[in-house]
Amino acid sequence: MVHLPGTFADTLAVLAVALGIEAAAGYPDALYRAAGHPVTWIGRLIAALERGLNRGSARRRRGAGCLALALLLAAVGSAALAVAALAGLAGPLSALLLLGLICASLPAQRSLHQHVAAVETALRAGGLEAGRRAVAMIVGRDPDRLDEAAVCRAAIESLAENFSDGIVAPAFWIGCLGLPGGALYKAINTADSMIGHRSPRYEAFGWAAARLDDGVNLPASRLAGLLIAGAAVLRGADARGALRAMARDARRHRSPNAGWPESAMAGALGLRLAGPRVYDGTLVPDAHMGDGRDAAAADDIARALTLYRTACWLQGGLVLALLGLCLTLAG
């Protein structure tokens, strides 16, 4: 059943197993303490490459960043292909289960929900200061500058953006290319999060990682927005508002991808998200997503989480439907 990287039906079957395992169990804390996580392993390699190569003029740093990215992808891709080949030796069913278990470490449905729900819980139980501490775990902006509405908006924006690049994108690439596709996507996305910043140290060195991350996230960001709009239909939120906000606002976001799920979430909830934000004391300009109210509250985080859970279920249903279609056409 499982080849390299496998038929489309094979990779969809692996993805279905992976999403089911991750939704049910997440990534166990005991396993993380004992062995870390694939993202932490990738992060160590990126950090080592950055320490060894990020020096000299801006032109040299950009070239070194391209080399570092190529070395990273070669290492991660080779390891993923080797693991997939070894799993394939175990027989079709065993390979499916093994690869599904490994791929379950790549999306983060459960942990994203936990982190955003923690902001809602903190606001309700401990007020603004507790909410600021909780939201600081998932966003990079200055928490001390956030009032309660801004804390809520930040949590919802993080939920929407990370639904795209933390769940839909790895699922998309696993579905297309199996474990190698998912692992390579995670390597690119982790590199962007670590070195793809517009800062004196990383702007040149991380240029290639940031540009490649924009490219590989492009299909998933559009799909994520549509899944949120679909969830709005099922949950009685404003699906038309979600589609209208995407059509009007998504391309105005400073990111070529984040605007799609953020505008969809804003339109579905009747909120206005994004806009100018402060990072490390610097005001970063950006367009607003949606034309609703600014006064978000803890109840809006709860509503956003309901849409998120439904969108995850919709994604799983889409995978199963595509798998069924592939099997029907093949049989």
Side-chain angles (χ1 to χ4, degrees), residues 159-177:
L159 177 68
E161 182 177 356
N162 283 289
F163 173 58
S164 175
D165 61 20
I167 289 92
V168 180
F172 178 87
W173 289 109
I174 294 168
C176 290
L177 298 171

Side-chain angles (χ1 to χ4, degrees), residues 136 139-146 193-194 197-202 254 276-284:
V139 300
R141 66 197 71 174
D142 298 343
D144 292 340
R145 295 174 178 265
L146 304 178
S193 68
M194 291 180 64
H197 310 301
R198 291 181 178 177
S199 66
R201 181 177 180 89
Y202 295 122
R254 64 190 177 95
R277 285 156 285 182
V278 177
Y279 295 88
D280 297 325
T282 301
L283 180 66
V284 177

Side-chain angles (χ1 to χ4, degrees), residues 117-301:
V119 180
E120 179 199 355
T121 301
L123 283 169
R124 294 189 191 279
L128 177 58
E129 288 304 317
R132 284 171 170 170
R133 289 193 297 271
V135 84
M137 303 296 292
I138 57 174
V139 300
R141 66 197 71 174
D142 298 343
D144 292 340
R145 295 174 178 265
L146 304 178
D147 59 16
E148 184 167 336
V151 167
C152 294
R153 291 195 304 271
I156 294 168
E157 290 162 17
S158 180
L159 177 68
E161 182 177 356
N162 283 289
F163 173 58
S164 175
D165 61 20
I167 289 92
V168 180
F172 178 87
W173 289 109
I174 294 168
C176 290
L177 298 171
L179 173 60
L184 287 170
Y185 169 76
K186 258 330 203 188
I188 295 166
N189 189 244
T190 304
D192 176 62
S193 68
M194 291 180 64
I195 62 174
H197 310 301
R198 291 181 178 177
S199 66
R201 181 177 180 89
Y202 295 122
E203 184 165 15
F205 185 77
W207 173 84
R211 298 291 77 73
L212 186 56
D213 184 72
D214 287 343
V216 297
N217 273 297
L218 190 146
S221 62
R222 278 70 176 167
L223 178 57
L226 291 174
L227 288 169
I228 291 170
V233 173
L234 297 176
R235 293 299 181 181
D238 190 352
R240 289 184 180 179
L243 294 173
R244 186 169 56 248
M246 277 197 293
R248 184 190 61 226
D249 299 333
R251 290 183 176 86
R252 299 169 55 227
H253 199 286
R254 64 190 177 95
S255 162
N257 295 307
W260 294 87
E262 285 189 23
S263 61
M265 187 68 81
L269 297 176
L271 295 173
R272 188 170 73 152
L273 301 177
R277 285 156 285 182
V278 177
Y279 295 88
D280 297 325
T282 301
L283 180 66
V284 177
D286 200 2
H288 284 98
M289 301 290 107
D291 57 2
R293 54 195 165 83
D294 291 315
D299 285 346
D300 293 304
I301 301 178

Side-chain angles (χ1 to χ4, degrees), residues 47-108:
L49 290 167
E50 193 273 336
R51 286 194 302 270
L53 296 173
N54 189 12
R55 59 173 65 93
S57 66
R59 182 176 179 180
R60 185 185 184 284
R61 286 172 185 262
R62 179 174 287 200
C66 293
L67 174 61
L69 183 62
L71 292 173
L72 172 70
L73 297 182
V76 171
S78 297
L81 284 168
V83 170
L86 290 172
L89 298 176
L93 181 58
S94 295
L96 173 62
L97 294 175
L98 284 170
L99 289 174
L101 184 62
I102 295 166
C103 286
S105 67
L106 301 177

